[in-house]
């Protein structure tokens, strides 16, 4: 059941689109490594899951921006779906991410056509899924069955059967579920359609990602949590098959010619006529050509041996930007303008997400490259990747310092690895765990040993936070009212109080009941020093042989962070 008892929407509106983006991001985050592992077509570069995550992350952030920009009002359905499609377009990564962005654009063309409608019903959603599949096929220069295209088409067929022609009895939840079920069956059949998948014993990676996205749509509309039947492989590495899968004619891909050396992606500002010429030229240069977008802005993806010629074709067609060139053989990512000789890399660096300017200074003094975590604005994976690049080191330890950033940090780490950086992700859930990890960091010892020591220190640190309740709500500790002081231990509400000091003492006593040698307190911007002094005195008098260290979190930090080691 949704938190706060909110009604689950059965028709698709802006709120449902927002929920869909969030659930899709979570689903792809959880399945990212699995999808990467089964990525064998069109190139076995093991990044489809990561690329899909980054694409949906961009779509989700665009939708959030629309909601934030219109507060306290809500965006219309048209505004939400257009933001989602535009975000996916400008953030699309890889072959599958580019196709997914076109699928979302196709849906937006239908769902966003009527600016005066706040929601779409089942038949409208069915029509949107049909348009999505058709536009994706049109965007791919040489469509191949047994891929995400096939899965999308099967989903659209089932959606239209469920939606009917204006059948008022079919709501969006029913249509989405029909599309999801059919997509699962189509995904299961992909190894019989595409020989390279059959030989590897896997389903199509892009199709697997689309199943996750459609499952998230079902969840956003009905509240149902779906688990894909394709999460596990057999002992021999084969894919799990549903009993209803039907064998179909297998389509092999000629293997005589070696795969192109480069993947080239860029955004392009150009008119339709120029893009049509560009398609023809790029089709002659390489393969896996996908050109998506419209209205003057396009995302171009192609695999070629001559990356320069692919970029030059874009320059002739219009104005390319955000150019990204990946060398498949080297596993190295480049951008245009990176030709200047690089400065010498440091051996090792720490990159940390930090809430509050005071903590940022503390982390920076310890040698870390920091990424700010603003209230309600968690950093995107691209910000973490940029921080890794700024750190300019051969080895990087990444500290997300937030349980909600685990998928974002994992995607960033995977992207940084493609750029030749050795990255270790330590799953810190709070900034105080990051402080504990930094305290034992020794850059001169072996990387693996350093990571193990930092991980052990972080894991041995229990964490808590004080926050003020914004509204009445059910919690693990009972019902809280707006204005109550909440004490969260390891992410769950453990104490509800009406006074900051008394609540903090109660939280400390609960944490230290299990033992501890060191207490770390991080005071928020508006918290007086007297609170820290009072808590330090309390620890000294009640809990013997326990030391206390106090830091100021500064602006944008939590009310109070507590760590116990």
């Amino acid at each position: 059941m949704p938190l706060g008892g909110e009604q689950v929407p059965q028709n698709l509106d802006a709120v449902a689109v927002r929920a869909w983006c969030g659930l899709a991001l979570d689903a792809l985050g959880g399945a990212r490594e699995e999808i990467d592992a089964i990525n064998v077509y069109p190139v076995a570069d093991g990044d489809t899951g990561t690329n899909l995550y980054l694409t949906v992350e961009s779509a989700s952030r665009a939708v959030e921006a629309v909601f934030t920009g219109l507060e306290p009002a809500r965006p219309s359905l048209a505004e939400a779906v257009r933001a989602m499609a535009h975000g996916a377009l400008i953030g699309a990564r890889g072959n599958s991410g580019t196709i997914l962005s076109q699928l979302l654009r196709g849906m937006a063309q239908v769902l966003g056509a009527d600016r005066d409608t706040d929601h779409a019903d089942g038949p409208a959603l069915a029509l949107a899924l049909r348009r999505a599949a058709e536009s994706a096929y049109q965007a791919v220069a040489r469509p191949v069955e047994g891929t995400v295209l096939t899965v999308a088409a099967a989903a659209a067929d089932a959606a239209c059967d469920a939606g009917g022609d204006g059948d008022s009895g079919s709501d969006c939840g029913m249509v989405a579920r029909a599309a999801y079920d059919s997509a699962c069956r189509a995904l299961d059949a992909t190894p019989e359609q595409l020989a390279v998948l059959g030989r590897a014993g896997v389903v199509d990676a892009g199709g697997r990602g689309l199943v996750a996205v459609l499952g998230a749509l079902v969840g956003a509309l009905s509240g149902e949590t779906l688990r894909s039947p394709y999460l596990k492989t057999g002992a021999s590495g084969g894919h799990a098959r549903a009993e209803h899968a039907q064998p179909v004619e297998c389509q092999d891909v000629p293997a005589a010619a070696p795969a192109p050396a480069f993947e080239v992606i860029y955004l392009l500002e150009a008119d339709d006529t120029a893009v049509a010429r560009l398609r023809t030229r790029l089709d002659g240069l390489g393969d896996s050509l996908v050109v998506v977008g419209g209205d003057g802005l396009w995302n171009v993806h192609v695999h070629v041996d001559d990356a320069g010629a692919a970029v030059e074709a874009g320059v002739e067609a219009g104005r390319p930007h955000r150019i990204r060139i990946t060398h498949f053989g080297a596993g190295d990512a480049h951008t245009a303008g990176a030709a200047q000789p690089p400065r010498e890399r440091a051996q090792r660096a720490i990159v940390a997400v930090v809430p509050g300017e005071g903590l940022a200074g503390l982390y920076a003094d310890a040698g870390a490259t920091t990424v700010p975590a603003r209230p309600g604005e968690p950093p995107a994976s691209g910000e973490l990747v940029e921080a890794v690049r700024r750190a300019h080191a051969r080895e990087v330890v990444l500290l997300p310092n937030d349980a909600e950033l685990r998928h974002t940090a994992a995607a960033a780490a995977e992207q940084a690895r493609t750029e030749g950086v050795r990255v270790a992700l330590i799953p810190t859930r709070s900034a105080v765990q990051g402080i504990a990890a930094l305290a034992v960091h020794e850059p001169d010892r072996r990387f693996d040993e350093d990571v193990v020591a930092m991980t052990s220190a972080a894991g041995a640190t229990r964490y808590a936070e004080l926050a003020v309740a914004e509204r009445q709500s059910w919690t693990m500790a009972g019902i809280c009212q707006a204005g109550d002081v909440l004490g969260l231990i390891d992410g769950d509400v453990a104490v509800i109080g009406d006074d900051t000091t008394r609540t903090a003492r109660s939280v400390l006593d609960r944490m230290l009941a299990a033992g501890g040698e060191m207490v770390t307190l991080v005071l928020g911007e508006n918290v007086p020093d007297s609170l820290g002094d009072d808590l330090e005195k309390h620890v000294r008098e009640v809990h013997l042989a326990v030391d206390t260290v106090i830091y100021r979190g500064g602006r944008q930090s939590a009310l109070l962070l507590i760590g116990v080691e």
Side-chain angles (χ1 to χ4, degrees):
M1 181 177 179
L3 294 176
E6 293 182 5
Q7 180 68 33
V8 176
Q10 287 297 305
N11 286 325
L12 189 65
D13 60 8
V15 174
V17 171
R18 185 187 205 181
W20 179 24
C21 287
L23 291 172
L25 198 59
D26 286 344
L28 289 171
R32 183 187 59 80
E33 291 185 355
E34 171 217 336
I35 298 173
D36 282 347
I38 64 173
N39 174 202
V40 298
Y41 180 83
V43 176
D45 48 356
D47 63 359
T48 292
T50 300
N51 287 337
L52 287 170
Y53 179 90
L54 295 173
T55 302
V56 173
E57 181 186 52
S58 181
S60 180
R61 290 180 71 84
V63 172
E64 289 298 324
V66 169
F67 270 84
T68 301
L70 293 176
E71 287 181 345
R74 286 182 177 177
S76 65
L77 173 62
E79 289 169 326
V81 295
R82 287 175 179 173
M84 176 180 64
H86 181 74
L89 174 67
I90 64 175
R93 302 292 291 271
N95 188 70
S96 293
T98 306
I99 293 174
L100 177 61
S101 74
Q102 187 68 359
L103 288 167
L104 296 178
R105 177 178 172 80
M107 293 186 69
Q109 288 174 336
V110 173
L111 299 175
D114 188 348
R115 296 176 180 270
D116 297 325
T117 300
D118 290 332
H119 67 273
D121 58 12
L125 177 58
L127 183 61
L129 290 169
R130 166 60 65 208
R131 177 63 189 135
E134 292 173 348
S135 62
Y137 268 92
Q138 293 166 1
V140 178
R142 300 179 185 274
V144 174
E145 297 303 327
T147 64
V148 63
L149 296 175
T150 308
V151 176
D157 288 343
C160 289
D161 289 342
D165 297 321
D167 180 6
S168 59
S170 58
D171 62 25
C172 284
M174 295 169 55
V175 171
R177 183 57 196 254
Y180 171 81
D181 289 342
S182 184
C184 288
R185 292 191 291 270
L187 176 64
D188 190 69
T190 55
E192 282 75 40
Q193 292 177 286
L194 194 55
V196 65
L197 301 179
R199 288 192 294 267
V202 297
V203 295
D204 179 65
R208 170 67 184 89
L210 180 58
V211 164
V213 172
L214 290 173
L217 178 59
V218 174
L221 292 168
S222 68
E224 184 179 3
T225 300
L226 302 177
R227 296 191 178 278
S228 170
Y230 306 100
L231 288 174
K232 297 181 179 179
T233 58
S236 63
H239 61 284
R241 293 182 179 173
E243 294 179 359
H244 44 248
Q246 299 295 320
V248 296
E249 181 180 354
C250 183
Q251 179 176 354
D252 206 343
V253 177
F262 298 97
E263 177 184 60
V264 178
I265 304 175
Y266 49 81
L267 290 179
L268 178 69
E269 295 178 20
D271 59 36
D272 292 0
T273 302
V275 169
R277 292 194 298 267
L278 176 66
R279 288 179 191 269
T280 301
R281 181 169 178 186
L282 291 180
D283 190 34
L285 288 175
D287 58 31
S288 298
L289 173 60
V290 185
V291 181
V292 301
D295 301 322
L297 181 63
W298 308 82
N299 190 307
V300 179
H301 169 281
V302 68
H303 294 173
V304 293
D305 283 320
D306 190 344
V311 174
E312 180 183 350
V315 172
E316 293 178 359
R319 189 177 78 85
H321 50 104
R322 295 196 188 183
I323 300 169
R324 186 173 187 85
I325 301 171
T326 302
H327 191 296
F328 290 125
D332 189 14
H334 311 277
T335 57
Q340 60 187 31
R343 59 186 172 90
E344 183 65 24
R345 287 181 179 269
Q347 181 59 35
R348 190 173 307 162
I350 308 295
V351 172
V353 179
V354 184
E357 295 176 350
L359 278 180
L362 174 66
Y363 273 74
D365 289 343
T369 299
T370 62
V371 179
R374 297 167 292 274
E377 297 181 36
S381 57
E383 293 178 68
L384 302 187
V385 173
E386 286 300 322
V388 171
R389 291 171 182 154
R390 291 200 312 273
H392 202 65
R394 297 181 180 89
E395 302 166 339
V396 169
V397 179
L398 181 56
L399 306 174
N401 291 339
D402 186 341
E404 296 299 319
L405 290 177
R406 62 192 186 280
H407 296 325
T408 300
E414 189 63 32
Q415 178 59 33
R417 291 183 189 116
T418 69
E419 300 182 12
V421 182
R422 187 181 185 188
V423 182
L425 171 60
I426 298 179
T428 49
R429 294 170 174 264
S430 170
V432 292
Q433 288 189 323
I435 291 173
L438 275 177
V440 301
H441 168 53
E442 293 184 14
D444 293 332
R445 64 183 162 195
R446 290 179 58 242
F447 184 62
D448 291 340
E449 293 176 355
D450 198 27
V451 171
V452 168
M454 295 176 70
T455 302
S456 178
T461 302
R462 282 160 288 157
Y463 64 96
E465 176 182 345
L466 257 62
V468 177
E470 297 181 355
R471 62 182 68 86
Q472 184 186 61
S473 180
W474 288 90
T475 75
M476 297 289 289
I479 301 176
C480 69
Q481 304 296 329
D484 283 349
V485 180
L486 307 180
L488 295 86
I489 300 177
D490 294 335
D492 292 323
V493 176
V495 180
I496 300 174
D498 56 9
D499 178 80
T500 301
T501 301
R502 287 196 297 270
T503 304
R505 286 178 185 169
S506 180
V507 169
L508 275 170
D509 290 342
R510 289 190 181 215
M511 297 178 75
L512 288 169
E517 300 175 353
M518 170 74 76
V519 169
T520 300
L521 302 175
V522 181
L523 308 182
E525 179 183 17
N526 297 320
V527 174
D529 291 336
S530 59
L531 175 63
D533 296 338
D534 182 275
L535 296 178
E536 182 179 20
K537 179 181 178 182
H538 177 76
V539 171
R540 185 171 62 249
E541 293 177 348
V542 179
H543 304 280
L544 301 179
V546 178
D547 295 324
T548 303
V549 59
I550 303 174
Y551 301 107
R552 299 294 316 196
R555 289 197 310 120
Q556 297 184 334
S557 64
L559 181 65
L560 175 68
L561 295 178
I562 302 173
V564 173
E565 302 175 46

